[in-house]
Amino acid sequence: MNSQEKLISKKKPTFPISNLLSDYLKEHSRSIKIPIFYDDLLRFHGCVILYDKNEEDTLWVRTYFSEFEREEIDLCLKKIYTLLHSDGNEETIPFLNVDAIDYCTFGNSKPFRIKIRNILNDNYTYFYVKKADASRVYGLELEHILSPHSINFLIYKDTLIEEHIAGIPGDVFITDFLPKCSESEKSQIAKEFVKFKERCLVRLLGDMRSYNYVIAPTHDFDQIVYKIRAIDFDQQSFEGNLKVYDLQFMKENRKMIEMVSEKLKTSSIIQYKIEERSYMAKRMIMYPNRIETLLNCMKNDVISYPENIKNLKKQVEDYTSDPKFRDCENMGDILESILAFVKRNYLNISNKELF
């Protein structure tokens, strides 16, 4: 067993959506009736393997359906697109085409990736159809509330619809793009990585290996600005090992960690961590009712194993020297205590690190 397997030792189960979480999603317009379910797409008749430009298996396959089923499925997927990206008005459906329905054979969620093209101008976008999982839903909501990036998703019964998050997959960027970046660009990416790392750690988003986040370059005047965004929220508040929530312990991120050490002084790293925690505290202050209601859902939900909860609260208590973590009974309690810790220290920032 290698070090990565020791960090993540068990395959995470799918946790159902509780009634309390379902009510929260309805209140915030996340829950809406959709015309097709994840299980309907599993009825594909066959598939072909998709290869990348280097002729390597992408772990995605392109599915195909019978002619009769495909016509009905295409119409349903177009309707979902209008619900996700507009007000559900179906007048645009004649101008939409479903170019591809791809299925991922790797990971827990095994999503379908839908490519929708506007036939009038050939612009296209993607969205994903997944099996609904409480961990993933909490992860998406926390991303929306606490990160600098809003995120759009819909859920109906046991099916989750997610918008596509544009960017270059982290593993591809590290291999193909990072070596070509200028020294100033590497410094800027290092700064963003520190902030991303801190954000994931504080809100307990685990397993951020390089293929679970994207790097999005944006041209800004005479420079390129790089942002890092999570794209997989399956490991939200599940694992009992604190290292699973810390990107520096993922071997796939080694080159990024090395770059941070080379480009940034310790004082700068601490500064960027404080900046990110301050930003999260401001978000909590801006949306107090929403975050409180979401955490209440988590505290009354089952999204992990008892041994994971026991181990994690002990590790966080040891690291922070805060005895309040001793009284945590579930993952919702642990996350609430961490966020409360961040919020308490917002107006009295020191160089003492949370993690």
Side-chain angles (χ1 to χ4, degrees):
M1 182 179 288
N2 60 36
S3 59
Q4 190 63 58
E5 290 172 327
K6 289 178 182 178
L7 281 181
I8 305 173
S9 57
K10 291 183 178 179
K11 180 179 174 66
K12 191 190 81 66
T14 297
F15 294 104
I17 306 298
S18 68
N19 291 334
L20 203 59
L21 179 56
S22 180
D23 291 341
Y24 169 91
L25 294 169
K26 290 175 183 176
E27 180 183 354
H28 294 281
S29 303
R30 297 295 200 185
S31 181
I32 190 170
K33 188 175 181 179
I34 57 177
I36 196 171
F37 296 99
Y38 176 87
D39 287 345
D40 294 327
L41 296 180
L42 289 175
R43 300 199 311 261
F44 59 86
H45 285 194
C47 61
V48 293
I49 297 174
L50 293 178
Y51 296 95
D52 63 17
K53 61 181 181 181
N54 298 317
E55 297 300 318
E56 294 183 1
D57 190 348
T58 63
L59 303 178
W60 288 85
V61 296
R62 181 144 299 168
T63 65
Y64 58 87
F65 299 78
S66 69
E67 185 176 350
F68 171 75
E69 284 187 309
R70 181 63 191 250
E71 183 177 347
E72 180 183 3
I73 287 173
D74 278 12
L75 179 59
C76 291
L77 293 174
K78 292 174 187 177
K79 289 180 179 179
I80 288 176
Y81 172 85
T82 65
L83 291 169
L84 185 65
H85 290 287
S86 65
D87 59 357
N89 189 324
E90 298 183 5
E91 292 182 2
T92 60
I93 285 181
F95 309 115
L96 301 176
N97 189 71
V98 179
D99 277 10
I101 303 174
D102 299 332
Y103 177 68
C104 184
T105 58
F106 176 74
N108 282 334
S109 60
K110 290 185 168 54
F112 284 92
R113 181 179 62 199
I114 314 301
K115 181 179 180 181
I116 298 286
R117 178 172 55 89
N118 186 313
I119 62 176
L120 297 179
N121 52 34
D122 274 344
N123 286 332
Y124 63 87
T125 189
Y126 299 93
F127 67 84
Y128 298 86
V129 181
K130 302 180 179 181
K131 200 77 171 178
D133 172 41
S135 301
R136 192 171 297 114
V137 172
Y138 285 123
L140 287 164
E141 268 297 294
L142 287 166
E143 176 76 3
H144 182 77
I145 298 171
L146 297 178
S147 86
H149 313 289
S150 62
I151 194 164
N152 192 15
F153 69 92
L154 298 172
I155 190 166
Y156 181 60
K157 295 185 178 180
D158 64 348
T159 298
L160 173 66
I161 309 297
E162 286 183 33
E163 71 175 353
H164 175 67
I165 299 174
I168 304 168
D171 54 341
V172 176
F173 185 89
I174 291 170
T175 301
D176 297 343
F177 293 86
L178 188 58
K180 303 174 185 176
C181 290
S182 67
E183 296 307 308
S184 62
E185 287 173 339
K186 288 179 180 178
S187 295
Q188 199 256 333
I189 295 169
K191 170 188 174 181
E192 288 302 314
F193 189 81
V194 169
K195 290 193 169 191
F196 178 64
K197 174 179 174 292
E198 186 73 2
R199 187 160 67 245
C200 292
L201 187 60
V202 169
R203 43 85 50 107
L204 295 181
L205 178 60
D207 193 17
M208 279 296 104
R209 284 174 277 187
S210 56
Y211 48 77
N212 285 333
Y213 57 82
V214 296
I215 299 177
T218 303
H219 287 270
D220 181 33
F221 292 105
D222 58 347
Q223 66 173 337
I224 298 177
V225 176
Y226 295 87
K227 298 295 181 182
I228 304 177
R229 296 189 61 180
I231 58 172
D232 190 335
F233 303 92
D234 184 63
Q235 291 284 344
Q236 174 66 51
S237 304
F238 171 72
E239 291 285 350
N241 190 339
L242 186 59
K243 290 181 178 180
V244 175
Y245 305 101
D246 193 333
L247 279 72
Q248 70 177 317
F249 293 104
M250 304 292 169
K251 61 183 177 63
E252 292 84 354
N253 296 325
R254 189 183 73 254
K255 289 185 178 179
M256 296 290 273
I257 296 298
E258 290 173 351
M259 183 178 67
V260 169
S261 298
E262 293 171 1
K263 293 295 180 182
L264 303 179
K265 296 180 179 179
T266 301
S267 58
S268 295
I269 293 174
I270 293 174
Q271 173 196 341
Y272 297 143
K273 287 184 175 183
I274 291 173
E275 285 180 6
E276 193 59 34
R277 275 182 265 140
S278 299
Y279 176 86
M280 296 176 75
K282 290 176 183 177
R283 298 284 291 182
M284 284 184 270
I285 293 170
M286 287 172 61
Y287 302 102
N289 295 332
R290 186 161 184 167
I291 189 68
E292 181 182 355
T293 305
L294 183 65
L295 289 172
N296 184 56
C297 292
M298 290 186 74
K299 291 190 294 182
N300 289 278
D301 210 341
V302 177
I303 55 173
S304 188
Y305 298 133
E307 61 267 30
N308 288 358
I309 297 166
K310 179 181 177 181
N311 292 336
L312 185 61
K313 71 177 184 179
K314 178 65 166 60
Q315 291 182 34
V316 176
E317 179 191 349
D318 291 344
Y319 214 103
T320 62
S321 300
D322 189 340
K324 291 185 178 181
F325 289 99
R326 198 173 303 165
D327 300 325
C328 294
E329 297 180 355
N330 52 55
M331 285 297 184
D333 283 336
I334 297 173
L335 180 59
E336 182 180 56
S337 297
I338 292 174
L339 294 179
F341 189 104
V342 171
K343 191 174 178 180
R344 280 199 309 271
N345 288 278
Y346 169 55
L347 296 177
N348 187 27
I349 294 174
S350 69
N351 283 343
K352 179 181 178 182
E353 297 183 45
L354 173 59
F355 292 116

